[in-house]
Amino acid sequence: MDNQTSIIRTTPKDFFFQIGSMIGLYVSAGSLIALLHQLINYAFPDNLQYYVDPYSSGIKFATASLLVIFPLYLLLGYLLQKDFRQTPEKRNLPIRKWLTYLTLFVAALVIVGDLVALINTFLGGEITTRFILKALSVFVVAGLVFGYYISDIRHPENSVKNVRNFAFGAALLVIASIVSGFMVMGSPTTQRKLNFDIQKTNDLQNLESTIIYQYWQAKGKLPGSLGDLSGLVGFYVPKDPQTKVDYVYKKTGDLKFEL
């Protein structure tokens, strides 16, 4: 049996499936926590936080990671369980045991660190609903991972049930978080419109800067139209990226203008 286990342990398929599964778990858990924290930030804004990303870049990245990595993690988990049913000895592979106990250790550290941070913040008198929810999100995700793997070690005879329950619970939490993320940041169409707004804002700021710091300083007067800026070296007069029409420039005085 020992020789068989040793031979199985060196199989590339087993090695990469186990490693890939754990990487998928860590990335999915980290992305889920990041997404939950971003949602909490939007639901409970901090008055001391002067800048809030209006385009939800953190939510977009976490959502994209979950949409790609989490299904891969579930697929690898399914393939591993199928392999275990065909060859039960693979449940005792050294690499699987090492990775399982490493995951339990990391999850336990996260839970303990989360509790320490929660108590420390409470003693400092800085406890808020926002912080409690963030700490709770970390505790739930890490606790879900810890509970699944500790149950897998203690009750291997219930592995099929454990996997099903864990996959269902994790998928439910991930789907609910992703749907909430889309509610906050809007659809891809909305995000495209926001990107157009970013470009328009940048264009208008560049035009303003060019008029003041290049044209006016060089000629001592404001341009009659935006076309006058074309004479500046290296400057291209932009158009509205969404409608492809010219931006509106209006001279309202010798030293005043509107864009």
Side-chain angles (χ1 to χ4, degrees):
M1 181 67 65
D2 290 340
N3 291 335
Q4 183 181 2
T5 302
S6 177
I7 293 174
I8 295 176
R9 183 176 61 87
T10 58
T11 302
K13 172 187 172 183
D14 297 312
F15 177 82
F16 286 109
F17 270 35
Q18 293 291 342
I19 293 292
S21 178
M22 286 304 170
I23 292 177
L25 172 66
Y26 295 152
V27 173
S28 297
S31 299
L32 178 58
I33 291 174
L35 176 56
L36 291 173
H37 283 193
Q38 289 292 330
L39 293 175
I40 293 170
N41 288 341
Y42 274 84
F44 300 91
D46 187 353
N47 294 330
L48 295 177
Q49 187 174 356
Y50 296 103
Y51 174 77
V52 177
D53 178 14
Y55 304 106
S56 314
S57 57
I59 293 179
K60 286 189 289 185
F61 184 79
T63 300
S65 298
L66 285 173
L67 287 174
V68 175
I69 304 300
F70 184 68
L72 289 177
Y73 168 69
L74 293 181
L75 175 61
L76 285 174
Y78 168 78
L79 294 175
L80 284 171
Q81 290 300 319
K82 181 179 179 181
D83 208 16
F84 294 157
R85 289 194 295 270
Q86 296 175 350
T87 312
E89 295 82 3
K90 288 188 176 183
R91 294 185 58 86
N92 297 319
L93 289 175
I95 186 174
R96 182 173 186 272
K97 289 185 176 181
W98 274 97
L99 291 175
T100 298
Y101 280 104
L102 174 62
T103 301
L104 286 172
F105 178 70
V106 171
L109 284 182
V110 171
I111 293 173
V112 171
D114 189 46
L115 292 175
V116 169
L118 183 62
I119 295 173
N120 179 68
T121 302
F122 173 76
L123 294 177
E126 300 176 0
I127 200 72
T128 62
T129 301
R130 173 182 168 124
F131 180 82
I132 292 176
L133 290 175
K134 285 186 176 182
L136 181 62
S137 67
V138 174
F139 184 84
V140 168
V141 174
L144 186 64
V145 173
F146 185 88
Y148 165 67
Y149 282 98
I150 197 70
S151 178
D152 184 64
I153 291 175
R154 292 181 175 179
H155 305 287
E157 69 280 2
N158 296 328
S159 62
V160 175
K161 180 180 178 181
N162 290 337
V163 169
R164 185 185 300 113
N165 292 339
F166 175 73
F168 178 78
L172 188 63
L173 183 58
V174 168
I175 292 173
S177 300
I178 291 177
V179 170
S180 299
F182 275 112
M183 292 176 64
V184 170
M185 68 180 182
S187 66
T189 301
T190 300
Q191 286 298 309
R192 181 169 177 80
K193 291 179 180 179
L194 291 174
N195 289 332
F196 275 128
D197 288 343
I198 295 175
Q199 185 60 52
K200 294 175 186 179
T201 301
N202 291 337
D203 287 345
L204 292 175
Q205 289 175 341
N206 289 334
L207 284 170
E208 179 187 34
S209 177
T210 302
I211 292 172
I212 296 174
Y213 296 108
Q214 294 187 44
Y215 192 93
W216 184 82
Q217 287 187 357
K219 302 182 180 296
K221 63 178 182 178
L222 294 176
S225 66
L226 291 180
D228 295 343
L229 300 179
S230 300
L232 297 175
V233 178
F235 184 77
Y236 168 77
V237 179
K239 294 178 182 260
D240 185 316
Q242 187 173 11
T243 62
K244 303 302 181 182
V245 300
D246 294 330
Y247 287 109
V248 177
Y249 166 81
K250 181 179 180 181
K251 184 179 177 181
T252 59
D254 291 339
L255 298 176
K256 295 180 181 180
F257 65 91
E258 293 178 356
L259 277 173

PDB file of all heavy atoms in Angstrom, residues 211-212 215-216 220-225 249-259:
ATOM      1  N   ILE A 211      -5.518  75.473 -23.124  1.00  0.00           N
ATOM      2  CA  ILE A 211      -5.912  76.857 -23.383  1.00  0.00           C
ATOM      3  C   ILE A 211      -5.196  77.823 -22.431  1.00  0.00           C
ATOM      4  O   ILE A 211      -4.697  78.881 -22.851  1.00  0.00           O
ATOM      5  CB  ILE A 211      -7.442  77.004 -23.248  1.00  0.00           C
ATOM      6  CG1 ILE A 211      -8.145  76.244 -24.371  1.00  0.00           C
ATOM      7  CG2 ILE A 211      -7.851  78.478 -23.265  1.00  0.00           C
ATOM      8  CD1 ILE A 211      -9.655  76.166 -24.198  1.00  0.00           C
ATOM      9  N   ILE A 212      -5.122  77.453 -21.157  1.00  0.00           N
ATOM     10  CA  ILE A 212      -4.558  78.360 -20.154  1.00  0.00           C
ATOM     11  C   ILE A 212      -3.035  78.358 -20.158  1.00  0.00           C
ATOM     12  O   ILE A 212      -2.393  79.422 -20.188  1.00  0.00           O
ATOM     13  CB  ILE A 212      -5.078  77.984 -18.744  1.00  0.00           C
ATOM     14  CG1 ILE A 212      -6.599  78.192 -18.678  1.00  0.00           C
ATOM     15  CG2 ILE A 212      -4.383  78.822 -17.669  1.00  0.00           C
ATOM     16  CD1 ILE A 212      -7.225  77.715 -17.393  1.00  0.00           C
ATOM     17  N   TYR A 215      -1.703  78.001 -24.864  1.00  0.00           N
ATOM     18  CA  TYR A 215      -2.125  79.011 -25.846  1.00  0.00           C
ATOM     19  C   TYR A 215      -2.073  80.416 -25.252  1.00  0.00           C
ATOM     20  O   TYR A 215      -1.501  81.340 -25.845  1.00  0.00           O
ATOM     21  CB  TYR A 215      -3.536  78.685 -26.338  1.00  0.00           C
ATOM     22  CG  TYR A 215      -3.933  79.501 -27.542  1.00  0.00           C
ATOM     23  CD1 TYR A 215      -3.728  79.007 -28.820  1.00  0.00           C
ATOM     24  CD2 TYR A 215      -4.511  80.769 -27.399  1.00  0.00           C
ATOM     25  CE1 TYR A 215      -4.079  79.752 -29.937  1.00  0.00           C
ATOM     26  CE2 TYR A 215      -4.863  81.523 -28.502  1.00  0.00           C
ATOM     27  CZ  TYR A 215      -4.642  81.006 -29.771  1.00  0.00           C
ATOM     28  OH  TYR A 215      -4.967  81.759 -30.881  1.00  0.00           O
ATOM     29  N   TRP A 216      -2.697  80.630 -24.097  1.00  0.00           N
ATOM     30  CA  TRP A 216      -2.767  81.976 -23.531  1.00  0.00           C
ATOM     31  C   TRP A 216      -1.381  82.495 -23.148  1.00  0.00           C
ATOM     32  O   TRP A 216      -1.054  83.663 -23.392  1.00  0.00           O
ATOM     33  CB  TRP A 216      -3.680  81.986 -22.316  1.00  0.00           C
ATOM     34  CG  TRP A 216      -3.877  83.367 -21.746  1.00  0.00           C
ATOM     35  CD1 TRP A 216      -4.744  84.323 -22.181  1.00  0.00           C
ATOM     36  CD2 TRP A 216      -3.164  83.933 -20.646  1.00  0.00           C
ATOM     37  NE1 TRP A 216      -4.632  85.457 -21.432  1.00  0.00           N
ATOM     38  CE2 TRP A 216      -3.667  85.255 -20.467  1.00  0.00           C
ATOM     39  CE3 TRP A 216      -2.169  83.464 -19.796  1.00  0.00           C
ATOM     40  CZ2 TRP A 216      -3.186  86.101 -19.470  1.00  0.00           C
ATOM     41  CZ3 TRP A 216      -1.686  84.301 -18.802  1.00  0.00           C
ATOM     42  CH2 TRP A 216      -2.188  85.610 -18.648  1.00  0.00           C
ATOM     43  N   GLY A 220      -0.869  85.385 -25.332  1.00  0.00           N
ATOM     44  CA  GLY A 220      -1.417  86.480 -24.544  1.00  0.00           C
ATOM     45  C   GLY A 220      -2.885  86.722 -24.748  1.00  0.00           C
ATOM     46  O   GLY A 220      -3.418  87.781 -24.395  1.00  0.00           O
ATOM     47  N   LYS A 221      -3.601  85.785 -25.342  1.00  0.00           N
ATOM     48  CA  LYS A 221      -5.038  85.910 -25.555  1.00  0.00           C
ATOM     49  C   LYS A 221      -5.660  84.512 -25.622  1.00  0.00           C
ATOM     50  O   LYS A 221      -4.960  83.509 -25.781  1.00  0.00           O
ATOM     51  CB  LYS A 221      -5.322  86.659 -26.850  1.00  0.00           C
ATOM     52  CG  LYS A 221      -4.811  85.935 -28.087  1.00  0.00           C
ATOM     53  CD  LYS A 221      -5.159  86.694 -29.357  1.00  0.00           C
ATOM     54  CE  LYS A 221      -4.676  85.915 -30.597  1.00  0.00           C
ATOM     55  NZ  LYS A 221      -5.040  86.618 -31.857  1.00  0.00           N
ATOM     56  N   LEU A 222      -6.974  84.485 -25.487  1.00  0.00           N
ATOM     57  CA  LEU A 222      -7.689  83.217 -25.583  1.00  0.00           C
ATOM     58  C   LEU A 222      -7.951  82.875 -27.044  1.00  0.00           C
ATOM     59  O   LEU A 222      -8.085  83.775 -27.883  1.00  0.00           O
ATOM     60  CB  LEU A 222      -9.024  83.309 -24.833  1.00  0.00           C
ATOM     61  CG  LEU A 222      -8.938  83.478 -23.310  1.00  0.00           C
ATOM     62  CD1 LEU A 222     -10.342  83.648 -22.732  1.00  0.00           C
ATOM     63  CD2 LEU A 222      -8.236  82.296 -22.656  1.00  0.00           C
ATOM     64  N   PRO A 223      -8.041  81.600 -27.377  1.00  0.00           N
ATOM     65  CA  PRO A 223      -8.327  81.210 -28.766  1.00  0.00           C
ATOM     66  C   PRO A 223      -9.743  81.593 -29.164  1.00  0.00           C
ATOM     67  O   PRO A 223     -10.653  81.625 -28.329  1.00  0.00           O
ATOM     68  CB  PRO A 223      -8.134  79.693 -28.756  1.00  0.00           C
ATOM     69  CG  PRO A 223      -8.384  79.299 -27.340  1.00  0.00           C
ATOM     70  CD  PRO A 223      -7.862  80.430 -26.499  1.00  0.00           C
ATOM     71  N   GLY A 224      -9.925  81.889 -30.443  1.00  0.00           N
ATOM     72  CA  GLY A 224     -11.273  82.192 -30.920  1.00  0.00           C
ATOM     73  C   GLY A 224     -12.136  80.950 -30.999  1.00  0.00           C
ATOM     74  O   GLY A 224     -13.355  81.008 -30.838  1.00  0.00           O
ATOM     75  N   SER A 225     -11.499  79.809 -31.262  1.00  0.00           N
ATOM     76  CA  SER A 225     -12.205  78.527 -31.338  1.00  0.00           C
ATOM     77  C   SER A 225     -11.213  77.418 -30.987  1.00  0.00           C
ATOM     78  O   SER A 225     -10.001  77.646 -30.915  1.00  0.00           O
ATOM     79  CB  SER A 225     -12.783  78.292 -32.732  1.00  0.00           C
ATOM     80  OG  SER A 225     -11.730  78.144 -33.678  1.00  0.00           O
ATOM     81  N   TYR A 249     -16.836  75.098 -27.276  1.00  0.00           N
ATOM     82  CA  TYR A 249     -16.003  76.110 -26.635  1.00  0.00           C
ATOM     83  C   TYR A 249     -16.641  77.467 -26.886  1.00  0.00           C
ATOM     84  O   TYR A 249     -17.020  77.799 -28.011  1.00  0.00           O
ATOM     85  CB  TYR A 249     -14.581  76.084 -27.211  1.00  0.00           C
ATOM     86  CG  TYR A 249     -13.739  77.294 -26.863  1.00  0.00           C
ATOM     87  CD1 TYR A 249     -13.097  77.390 -25.632  1.00  0.00           C
ATOM     88  CD2 TYR A 249     -13.584  78.344 -27.779  1.00  0.00           C
ATOM     89  CE1 TYR A 249     -12.322  78.507 -25.320  1.00  0.00           C
ATOM     90  CE2 TYR A 249     -12.808  79.451 -27.478  1.00  0.00           C
ATOM     91  CZ  TYR A 249     -12.188  79.531 -26.242  1.00  0.00           C
ATOM     92  OH  TYR A 249     -11.416  80.637 -25.937  1.00  0.00           O
ATOM     93  N   LYS A 250     -16.754  78.269 -25.807  1.00  0.00           N
ATOM     94  CA  LYS A 250     -17.359  79.585 -25.937  1.00  0.00           C
ATOM     95  C   LYS A 250     -16.528  80.594 -25.165  1.00  0.00           C
ATOM     96  O   LYS A 250     -16.343  80.474 -23.957  1.00  0.00           O
ATOM     97  CB  LYS A 250     -18.801  79.565 -25.417  1.00  0.00           C
ATOM     98  CG  LYS A 250     -19.516  80.903 -25.543  1.00  0.00           C
ATOM     99  CD  LYS A 250     -20.945  80.801 -25.022  1.00  0.00           C
ATOM    100  CE  LYS A 250     -21.665  82.141 -25.148  1.00  0.00           C
ATOM    101  NZ  LYS A 250     -23.049  82.066 -24.612  1.00  0.00           N
ATOM    102  N   LYS A 251     -16.055  81.595 -25.869  1.00  0.00           N
ATOM    103  CA  LYS A 251     -15.293  82.684 -25.242  1.00  0.00           C
ATOM    104  C   LYS A 251     -16.276  83.705 -24.691  1.00  0.00           C
ATOM    105  O   LYS A 251     -17.067  84.300 -25.445  1.00  0.00           O
ATOM    106  CB  LYS A 251     -14.355  83.318 -26.258  1.00  0.00           C
ATOM    107  CG  LYS A 251     -13.445  84.393 -25.697  1.00  0.00           C
ATOM    108  CD  LYS A 251     -12.533  84.927 -26.789  1.00  0.00           C
ATOM    109  CE  LYS A 251     -11.666  86.063 -26.263  1.00  0.00           C
ATOM    110  NZ  LYS A 251     -10.775  86.620 -27.312  1.00  0.00           N
ATOM    111  N   THR A 252     -16.268  83.935 -23.384  1.00  0.00           N
ATOM    112  CA  THR A 252     -17.233  84.839 -22.744  1.00  0.00           C
ATOM    113  C   THR A 252     -16.599  86.167 -22.310  1.00  0.00           C
ATOM    114  O   THR A 252     -17.273  87.000 -21.723  1.00  0.00           O
ATOM    115  CB  THR A 252     -17.856  84.154 -21.521  1.00  0.00           C
ATOM    116  OG1 THR A 252     -16.830  83.791 -20.596  1.00  0.00           O
ATOM    117  CG2 THR A 252     -18.639  82.916 -21.940  1.00  0.00           C
ATOM    118  N   GLY A 253     -15.324  86.336 -22.556  1.00  0.00           N
ATOM    119  CA  GLY A 253     -14.625  87.563 -22.190  1.00  0.00           C
ATOM    120  C   GLY A 253     -13.170  87.448 -22.567  1.00  0.00           C
ATOM    121  O   GLY A 253     -12.716  86.417 -23.086  1.00  0.00           O
ATOM    122  N   ASP A 254     -12.424  88.524 -22.308  1.00  0.00           N
ATOM    123  CA  ASP A 254     -10.996  88.483 -22.659  1.00  0.00           C
ATOM    124  C   ASP A 254     -10.256  87.409 -21.870  1.00  0.00           C
ATOM    125  O   ASP A 254      -9.290  86.832 -22.372  1.00  0.00           O
ATOM    126  CB  ASP A 254     -10.362  89.860 -22.373  1.00  0.00           C
ATOM    127  CG  ASP A 254     -10.867  90.910 -23.346  1.00  0.00           C
ATOM    128  OD1 ASP A 254     -11.355  90.524 -24.438  1.00  0.00           O
ATOM    129  OD2 ASP A 254     -10.769  92.119 -23.010  1.00  0.00           O
ATOM    130  N   LEU A 255     -10.713  87.135 -20.653  1.00  0.00           N
ATOM    131  CA  LEU A 255     -10.032  86.138 -19.809  1.00  0.00           C
ATOM    132  C   LEU A 255     -11.009  85.062 -19.319  1.00  0.00           C
ATOM    133  O   LEU A 255     -10.712  84.371 -18.345  1.00  0.00           O
ATOM    134  CB  LEU A 255      -9.393  86.839 -18.598  1.00  0.00           C
ATOM    135  CG  LEU A 255      -8.302  87.874 -18.895  1.00  0.00           C
ATOM    136  CD1 LEU A 255      -7.832  88.543 -17.621  1.00  0.00           C
ATOM    137  CD2 LEU A 255      -7.122  87.228 -19.623  1.00  0.00           C
ATOM    138  N   LYS A 256     -12.140  84.909 -19.993  1.00  0.00           N
ATOM    139  CA  LYS A 256     -13.131  83.932 -19.552  1.00  0.00           C
ATOM    140  C   LYS A 256     -13.580  83.074 -20.736  1.00  0.00           C
ATOM    141  O   LYS A 256     -13.704  83.564 -21.851  1.00  0.00           O
ATOM    142  CB  LYS A 256     -14.362  84.625 -18.943  1.00  0.00           C
ATOM    143  CG  LYS A 256     -14.070  85.391 -17.663  1.00  0.00           C
ATOM    144  CD  LYS A 256     -15.333  86.034 -17.144  1.00  0.00           C
ATOM    145  CE  LYS A 256     -15.084  86.835 -15.874  1.00  0.00           C
ATOM    146  NZ  LYS A 256     -16.317  87.474 -15.358  1.00  0.00           N
ATOM    147  N   PHE A 257     -13.833  81.834 -20.449  1.00  0.00           N
ATOM    148  CA  PHE A 257     -14.348  80.933 -21.490  1.00  0.00           C
ATOM    149  C   PHE A 257     -15.125  79.800 -20.844  1.00  0.00           C
ATOM    150  O   PHE A 257     -14.995  79.536 -19.640  1.00  0.00           O
ATOM    151  CB  PHE A 257     -13.204  80.377 -22.349  1.00  0.00           C
ATOM    152  CG  PHE A 257     -12.233  79.494 -21.610  1.00  0.00           C
ATOM    153  CD1 PHE A 257     -12.422  78.104 -21.542  1.00  0.00           C
ATOM    154  CD2 PHE A 257     -11.135  80.039 -20.971  1.00  0.00           C
ATOM    155  CE1 PHE A 257     -11.547  77.298 -20.865  1.00  0.00           C
ATOM    156  CE2 PHE A 257     -10.233  79.236 -20.290  1.00  0.00           C
ATOM    157  CZ  PHE A 257     -10.431  77.861 -20.236  1.00  0.00           C
ATOM    158  N   GLU A 258     -15.917  79.120 -21.633  1.00  0.00           N
ATOM    159  CA  GLU A 258     -16.689  77.972 -21.186  1.00  0.00           C
ATOM    160  C   GLU A 258     -16.384  76.792 -22.080  1.00  0.00           C
ATOM    161  O   GLU A 258     -16.173  76.944 -23.282  1.00  0.00           O
ATOM    162  CB  GLU A 258     -18.189  78.275 -21.232  1.00  0.00           C
ATOM    163  CG  GLU A 258     -18.648  79.328 -20.251  1.00  0.00           C
ATOM    164  CD  GLU A 258     -20.148  79.614 -20.379  1.00  0.00           C
ATOM    165  OE1 GLU A 258     -20.778  79.017 -21.294  1.00  0.00           O
ATOM    166  OE2 GLU A 258     -20.674  80.409 -19.586  1.00  0.00           O
ATOM    167  N   LEU A 259     -16.381  75.602 -21.490  1.00  0.00           N
ATOM    168  CA  LEU A 259     -16.195  74.354 -22.238  1.00  0.00           C
ATOM    169  C   LEU A 259     -17.380  73.452 -21.960  1.00  0.00           C
ATOM    170  O   LEU A 259     -17.774  73.281 -20.801  1.00  0.00           O
ATOM    171  CB  LEU A 259     -14.896  73.657 -21.812  1.00  0.00           C
ATOM    172  CG  LEU A 259     -13.594  74.142 -22.462  1.00  0.00           C
ATOM    173  CD1 LEU A 259     -12.394  73.475 -21.811  1.00  0.00           C
ATOM    174  CD2 LEU A 259     -13.616  73.863 -23.967  1.00  0.00           C
TER     175      LEU A 259
END
